[in-house]
Amino acid sequence: MKIWERDAWLRKSLRYRDYFFMRQINRIKTKKYVSESTASVDDITVILAVRNRCDYRLVNAFKSMRNQDYDDRLIKIVLVDYDSEKWMIEKYQEICQKYRVEYIRVDNKPVWNKSRCLNIAIKNVASKYICSSDVDVFFEKNYFSECVKELNKNPLQVLISDFYNSPEGEINGEIDLPGKYADIKNKCGFQNTKMGLSGFLNPGINFSLSCFYKAMNGYDENYIMWGSEDFDLIKRFFLMGLEVKDMSPTTSWIHQWHKKHEGVSTIPDIKEQITKNKNYLNNTHSIVRNNNGWGMV
């Protein structure tokens, strides 16, 4: 089944004819970005945004990235700390030093903006590929190698996947990775309920050529607090002409349990802002955003 046939949400967002015309024209333009890419080495920059989440989950995320079956010299990790509480700074620095992670601190940002947080790193990426990740997930050891292999076959893709969700109480500290990955995976519930753009539950972990992220000025920074910025990114990649590829058959990642809306649920108008974000997602169909500058601190 094609993406268009299984995606009622996008069908409502765009007229049928405009949708396919936009895809056809932009796919031609997108091929130009690939041909102009001078990076010959398959190096990767993994980008994570964080705010007040300095615990074992972050350690497990870094550990999984440093224990891939991919050449570790080609993996750069960047953590952007978007105004976490100041007592956490030293702890972040200690963890980042241990796992060879570049730490970027941003102060005086009372409102959480994941898009801008990630864009600060995306704007300066020099690697061939970007993996946009979260601080509460960890990867199967073949994740990066499978993604690079797939993009070498067809670079006009953005790679996302379903995932395994750990039950409450299953992970309470640092994990022996990759040794215990299979055991934990067997205890997790597989998230195979399809929804949203291209039918995937969670597009928050995405992997593609860095030139595509930069061509559309990164994540849309109009999304604040929580929700929809990841779906928006994949929607724009799709309209740009990329194929959305499900990597679930060959690799996986695990989400470490936490309460929903952790860190933002106490904000009085969070539900109102989530609704605003969804409405903006459904009614905005341009590819290039942040025309007044992006990734600016």
Side-chain angles (χ1 to χ4, degrees):
M1 182 179 290
K2 295 180 180 179
I3 285 177
W4 175 260
E5 294 171 334
R6 74 188 184 198
D7 197 346
W9 174 78
L10 190 55
R11 200 160 57 237
K12 293 178 181 178
S13 300
L14 291 166
R15 290 183 299 173
Y16 184 89
R17 185 178 60 184
D18 291 347
Y19 170 84
F20 279 104
F21 179 75
M22 188 180 296
R23 283 266 301 167
Q24 183 179 5
I25 295 301
N26 287 315
R27 190 169 177 81
I28 296 171
K29 295 179 180 178
T30 303
K31 288 181 180 179
K32 184 180 178 182
Y33 289 119
V34 177
S35 64
E36 289 179 350
S37 177
T38 57
S40 58
V41 179
D42 286 333
D43 52 346
I44 305 162
T45 299
V46 189
I47 298 170
L48 305 94
V50 70
R51 186 187 185 94
N52 296 330
R53 288 192 183 185
C54 189
D55 58 18
Y56 63 86
R57 290 171 295 179
L58 181 63
V59 174
N60 290 333
F62 288 160
K63 191 180 293 187
S64 74
M65 297 170 193
R66 287 300 177 205
N67 285 280
Q68 293 285 302
D69 62 5
Y70 196 72
D71 188 343
D72 188 63
R73 294 169 298 179
L74 299 179
I75 302 172
K76 179 180 180 179
I77 309 171
V78 180
L79 178 70
V80 183
D81 171 14
Y82 207 72
D83 203 19
S84 297
E85 294 182 24
K86 294 192 183 301
W87 67 267
M88 295 184 181
I89 295 177
E90 186 175 348
K91 193 173 180 181
Y92 281 131
Q93 291 173 332
E94 180 182 341
I95 296 172
C96 287
Q97 183 177 11
K98 181 177 180 179
Y99 292 97
R100 290 175 286 115
V101 176
E102 180 181 344
Y103 175 68
I104 300 174
R105 168 73 182 186
V106 183
D107 289 306
N108 303 316
K109 298 294 181 184
V111 179
W112 171 240
N113 189 323
K114 181 183 176 183
S115 295
R116 182 173 298 161
C117 187
L118 291 169
N119 284 350
I120 289 169
I122 290 172
K123 194 177 186 72
N124 296 298
V125 163
S127 63
K128 186 173 183 178
Y129 301 110
I130 284 177
C131 175
S132 179
S133 185
D134 287 336
V135 297
D136 54 11
V137 311
F138 55 92
F139 296 94
E140 190 171 355
K141 69 176 182 179
N142 69 339
Y143 197 89
F144 293 169
S145 60
E146 288 297 323
C147 285
V148 171
K149 186 190 303 181
E150 180 61 35
L151 290 176
N152 277 330
K153 289 191 294 185
N154 177 12
L156 297 179
Q157 296 184 102
V158 54
L159 312 179
I160 58 179
S161 68
D162 284 329
F163 65 100
Y164 290 83
N165 197 27
S166 66
E168 182 178 358
E170 175 61 33
I171 301 173
N172 297 303
E174 294 185 31
I175 305 167
D176 173 22
L177 290 170
K180 296 294 184 181
Y181 188 93
D183 292 339
I184 297 171
K185 180 179 175 180
N186 289 335
K187 297 177 183 178
C188 293
F190 184 58
Q191 301 297 296
N192 58 2
T193 303
K194 304 297 184 182
M195 62 178 286
L197 179 66
S198 75
F200 291 94
L201 179 67
N202 191 328
I205 313 303
N206 49 78
F207 196 114
S208 193
L209 286 167
S210 60
C211 60
F212 297 148
Y213 292 83
K214 294 187 177 186
M216 59 185 187
N217 293 349
Y219 285 80
D220 188 328
E221 297 179 10
N222 285 298
Y223 294 100
I224 62 172
M225 291 192 199
W226 189 88
S228 297
E229 70 281 335
D230 298 320
F231 284 104
D232 177 86
L233 181 82
I234 303 302
K235 174 183 176 179
R236 290 157 61 208
F237 275 143
F238 192 58
L239 294 176
M240 183 188 283
L242 303 187
E243 299 299 329
V244 182
K245 174 72 173 182
D246 179 10
M247 295 300 294
S248 302
T250 58
T251 188
S252 63
W253 55 271
I254 294 173
H255 175 256
Q256 302 173 81
W257 183 90
H258 60 77
K259 293 181 179 179
K260 192 174 183 180
H261 300 160
E262 182 185 35
V264 297
S265 59
T266 56
I267 300 173
D269 56 349
I270 181 64
K271 291 184 178 179
E272 180 182 348
Q273 186 58 50
I274 290 173
T275 300
K276 286 182 179 179
N277 288 348
K278 288 181 178 178
N279 290 337
Y280 180 72
L281 170 67
N282 290 332
N283 293 298
T284 309
H285 311 305
S286 59
I287 296 173
V288 180
R289 308 280 176 84
N290 309 317
N291 293 324
N292 294 322
W294 64 285
M296 304 297 292
V297 180

